[in-house]
Amino acid sequence: MKKILAGAAVLMSFNTFAGGHIDAGKAATEKFNCAACHGKDFNSPVDPSYPKLAGQHQDYLEHALIAYQRGADGANGRGNAIMGGQAKQLSKEDIQNIAAYLHSLPGSLVLRK
């Protein structure tokens, strides 16, 4: 029984690390000034064409940031001059942390049937 509990604790701590750290993600969004375009609460971007990030799926956010790093010519890349420049500065850990933080925020996105 002790081995099972120890194994579960290791897996839980690994998942926390692999999933990013919310506090570090908050610090990274402040460092890279993400709110300047996406809004202070990440629900009210300064331009309606910019996405609302709060509450988005973490894996989607990670994929999007990596795609911006690759650029339009890269495999599964995205082309946007502003986001490309912002994303290229990010480490893998920054991306995981930012995605964890934004995912943790209450979002205004809704699903309609």
Side-chain angles (χ1 to χ4, degrees), residues 3-112:
K3 288 181 182 181
I4 293 173
L5 291 176
V10 168
L11 286 175
M12 286 174 39
S13 63
F14 175 73
N15 286 339
T16 300
F17 176 75
H21 296 283
I22 292 171
D23 292 337
K26 181 178 182 181
T29 61
E30 292 168 359
K31 175 182 176 183
F32 295 106
N33 201 21
C34 302
C37 294
H38 295 285
K40 182 179 174 184
D41 61 356
F42 297 98
N43 273 314
S44 46
V46 298
D47 184 290
S49 68
Y50 299 164
K52 295 179 180 183
L53 301 178
Q56 284 279 10
H57 293 282
Q58 185 170 345
D59 60 339
Y60 168 78
L61 292 165
E62 289 179 17
H63 175 76
L65 288 170
I66 292 168
Y68 283 122
Q69 284 183 328
R70 291 181 181 142
D73 296 330
N76 296 316
R78 291 184 177 192
N80 179 287
I82 295 170
M83 280 304 302
Q86 288 292 101
K88 284 188 187 343
Q89 305 174 62
L90 303 175
S91 69
K92 183 177 179 179
E93 187 175 329
D94 288 334
I95 290 173
Q96 291 174 337
N97 294 338
I98 289 170
Y101 171 63
L102 294 172
H103 174 70
S104 76
L105 298 175
S108 61
L109 299 172
V110 294
L111 296 175
R112 295 186 185 188

